[in-house]
């Protein structure tokens, strides 16, 4: 019997009633003869409470190297509670089930507490347990180091746990149950005419996740693509037996009819940093972006253009609004060394992106995008492109107008 992996997020297991609903979904699938591992997140809101407790116990002055490992011990307990509760709910229904924690799985990670990366599985009895018909309820988000310290994978890490388990088990599919019934062409709260996508490629989903779509965590999509694990996004708020086709995230080759543009994504958490009068000589950019990297500032869109003064250039890049104060401080400290003239940081901006594998073989996509924005009177500050994506930076007040205009221009509105 083929193995399958199911994952339920925090809203799906938010209280005992919702855990009971998850148990019914799992029981219905077990009745069809499926052999399953079920990965669970902490109950909604629980991780935030645990983070606050860890911060309160440590105080403000405790050094990071004395804090991070025990922080992981505290916050990982949320998933442990959910795993035990769901196992009990399944046993109540007469099913054979048990909980598994990261160290019991031997899900090995590096030592980067709070944002650990998965290195692989050591020998584990999990496959034999599943093949025997036992439902494995796995605490997501957590792993263990070589010296047996608990680690966590960062926010959204349960998605990554689920895909890693699916890859290790050779599962035929990894079903991510969440509070939406699939991946949409854009945020349906902003655009009522947004429609659910039946199939989307790993590359497109990776771009959408990195650009602000909250359905799947970026690292989980990377892992699924690297190991060719089909991922299906489903709603956990349907009753067992109800139709829920969801969205399948798969290899591009499995999608017969490719859209030129599959979706429109947006991010309001953006800041634009402009350096005027940067000396136009080798090494200037290297100094700037090396310092930003050391400060932990994640830089996205970058544009350099000649200034009016000979041998000078203007440099524009974007980062998250949260990182912008660190970017400002870093660059101000670098002014004497680099020799730029002026620094400007604008926070009232948004990034709007169109994504689609069909862009690889179609012309005129950029022209259509820029025309649609121009007709709405929306000015573009910065442009960045890749094979399957075009992103622009615009004023934040125009975010909703831009998303709706592009959604319509590329024929994504539901009929």
């Amino acid at each position: 019997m083929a193995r399958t992996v199911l994952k339920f997020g925090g809203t799906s297991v938010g209280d005992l009633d919702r855990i009971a609903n998850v148990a019914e979904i799992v029981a219905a699938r077990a009745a069809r003869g499926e052999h399953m591992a079920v990965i669970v997140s902490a109950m909604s809101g629980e991780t935030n409470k645990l983070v606050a407790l860890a911060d309160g116990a440590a105080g403000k002055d405790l050094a990071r190297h004395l804090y991070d490992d025990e922080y992981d011990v505290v916050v990982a307990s949320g998933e442990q509670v959910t795993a035990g509760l769901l196992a009990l709910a399944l046993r109540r229904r007469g099913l054979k089930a048990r909980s598994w924690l990261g160290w019991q799985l031997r899900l090995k990670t590096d030592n980067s507490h709070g944002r650990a990366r998965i290195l692989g599985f050591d020998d584990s009895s999990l496959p034999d347990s599943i093949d025997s018909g036992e439902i494995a309820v796995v605490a997501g988000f957590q792993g263990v180091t070589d010296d047996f310290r608990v680690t966590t994978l960062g926010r959204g890490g349960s998605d990554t746990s689920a895909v890693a388990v699916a890859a290790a088990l050779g599962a035929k599919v990894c079903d991510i149950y969440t509070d939406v019934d699939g991946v949409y062409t854009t945020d349906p709260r902003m655009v009522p005419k947004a429609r659910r996508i039946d199939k989307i490629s790993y590359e497109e989903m990776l771009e959408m996740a990195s650009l602000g779509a909250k359905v799947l965590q970026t690292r989980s999509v990377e892992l699924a693509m690297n190991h060719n694990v089909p991922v299906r996004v489903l709603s956990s708020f349907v009753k067992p037996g109800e139709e829920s086709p969801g969205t399948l995230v798969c290899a591009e080759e499995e999608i017969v009819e490719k859209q030129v543009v599959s979706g429109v994504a947006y991010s309001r958490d953006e800041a634009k940093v402009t350096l005027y009068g940067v000396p136009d000589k080798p090494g200037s950019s290297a100094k700037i972006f090396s310092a930003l990297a050391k400060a932990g500032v994640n830089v996205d869109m970058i544009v350099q253009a000649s200034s009016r003064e000979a041998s000078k250039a203007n440099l524009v890049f974007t980062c998250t609004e949260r990182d912008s104060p660190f970017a400002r401080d870093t660059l101000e400290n670098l002014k004497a060394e680099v020799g730029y003239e002026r620094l400007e940081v604008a926070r009232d901006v948004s990034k709007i992106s169109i994504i689609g594998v069909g862009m690889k073989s179609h012309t005129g996509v950029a022209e259509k995008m820029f025309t649609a924005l121009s007709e709405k009177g929306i000015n573009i500050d910065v442009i960045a492109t890749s094979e399957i994506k075009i992103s622009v930076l615009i004023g934040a007040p125009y975010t909703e107008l831009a998303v709706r205009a592009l959604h319509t221009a590329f024929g994504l509105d539901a009929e």
Side-chain angles (χ1 to χ4, degrees):
M1 175 62 67
R3 302 164 181 161
T4 55
V5 171
L6 283 59
K7 184 264 176 179
F8 293 90
T11 53
S12 301
V13 293
D15 54 36
L16 288 178
D17 287 340
R18 291 185 176 180
I19 290 173
N21 181 63
V22 168
E24 292 295 336
I25 293 172
V26 174
R29 296 190 60 161
R32 300 203 300 258
E34 294 187 44
H35 289 199
M36 289 176 289
V38 182
I39 285 74
V40 293
S41 298
M43 299 164 76
S44 55
E46 201 61 31
T47 300
N48 289 338
K49 294 178 185 176
L50 294 169
V51 169
L53 287 173
D55 288 345
K60 296 181 179 180
D61 299 324
L62 190 65
R64 288 291 298 270
H65 73 279
L66 297 175
Y67 173 79
D68 287 353
D69 57 343
E70 297 301 342
Y71 164 90
D72 275 355
V73 173
V74 175
V75 297
S77 65
E79 281 71 17
Q80 177 173 332
V81 170
T82 310
L85 293 175
L86 180 56
L88 290 171
L90 291 170
R91 289 180 180 181
R92 179 181 180 182
R93 287 158 178 77
L95 296 167
K96 187 180 177 184
R98 64 155 285 191
S99 61
W100 292 76
L101 306 183
W103 65 268
Q104 293 170 315
L105 287 180
R106 298 177 188 169
L107 178 63
K108 285 297 184 69
T109 74
D110 61 20
N111 293 300
S112 301
H113 289 281
R115 55 189 181 280
R117 298 194 70 84
I118 296 172
L119 302 178
F121 283 86
D122 275 0
D123 291 336
S124 169
S125 56
L126 179 68
D128 292 338
S129 173
I130 291 173
D131 290 343
S132 73
E134 183 175 74
I135 299 171
V137 185
V138 178
F141 180 60
Q142 58 183 247
V144 64
T145 65
D146 282 333
D147 56 353
F148 300 104
R149 296 295 293 167
V150 172
T151 55
T152 61
L153 308 180
R155 288 302 179 118
S158 291
D159 283 355
T160 307
S161 298
V163 174
V165 170
L169 292 175
K172 65 176 183 178
V173 68
C174 178
D175 284 342
I176 306 289
Y177 283 87
T178 182
D179 54 358
V180 294
D181 62 349
V183 180
Y184 277 71
T185 49
T186 195
D187 185 348
R189 295 168 299 181
M190 179 177 288
V191 182
K193 291 184 178 181
R195 53 185 171 83
R196 183 182 55 79
I197 302 170
D198 292 325
K199 286 185 178 181
I200 187 169
S201 70
Y202 294 122
E203 292 88 348
E204 289 170 315
M205 190 67 244
L206 189 58
E207 291 285 9
M208 291 182 76
S210 66
L211 291 167
K214 307 296 185 185
V215 180
L216 289 176
Q217 198 255 6
T218 306
R219 282 169 59 192
S220 70
V221 183
E222 288 177 350
L223 197 60
M225 182 167 63
N226 291 339
H227 293 275
N228 199 28
V229 175
V231 175
R232 191 165 50 182
V233 180
L234 301 166
S235 171
S236 62
F237 297 110
V238 296
K239 294 180 181 178
E242 287 184 357
E243 186 68 19
S244 178
T247 296
L248 182 67
V249 185
C250 58
E252 181 184 337
E253 296 74 26
E254 296 181 39
I255 303 174
V256 177
E257 188 175 350
K258 299 177 178 66
Q259 292 285 111
V260 177
V261 170
S262 298
V264 181
Y266 68 93
S267 171
R268 286 192 171 101
D269 180 28
E270 300 292 328
K272 181 181 75 169
V273 181
T274 306
L275 287 171
Y276 295 96
V278 179
D280 191 8
K281 62 182 182 180
S284 294
S285 295
K287 288 178 182 177
I288 291 167
F289 292 107
S290 174
L292 291 168
K294 289 177 181 177
V297 176
N298 187 21
V299 174
D300 186 15
M301 308 163 79
I302 305 173
V303 175
Q304 180 172 312
S306 298
S307 70
R308 295 178 179 177
E309 185 180 346
S311 74
K312 297 280 188 179
N314 296 331
L315 184 64
V316 180
F317 67 86
T318 64
C319 63
T320 63
E321 187 175 13
R322 182 181 179 183
D323 280 350
S324 62
F326 304 109
R328 178 188 288 277
D329 291 345
T330 300
L331 294 173
E332 285 178 346
N333 292 334
L334 206 63
K335 184 173 183 179
E337 182 179 350
V338 172
Y340 67 85
E341 295 171 359
R342 182 163 60 93
L343 168 66
E344 185 178 282
V345 178
R347 298 185 181 183
D348 195 23
V349 294
S350 291
K351 180 170 62 179
I352 312 294
S353 306
I354 57 172
I355 304 105
V357 291
M359 289 187 196
K360 295 178 182 179
S361 55
H362 285 76
T363 60
V365 179
E367 182 272 336
K368 181 180 283 190
M369 180 183 192
F370 301 154
T371 298
L373 295 175
S374 174
E375 289 175 349
K376 297 296 182 181
I378 300 171
N379 188 50
I380 297 171
D381 285 341
V382 182
I383 302 169
T385 65
S386 73
E387 264 196 323
I388 65 167
K389 173 196 74 178
I390 302 174
S391 296
V392 297
L393 201 69
I394 65 171
Y398 296 97
T399 303
E400 187 168 336
L401 179 62
V403 170
R404 288 184 173 180
L406 294 173
H407 199 267
T408 299
F410 287 98
L412 298 176
D413 290 353
E415 297 179 356

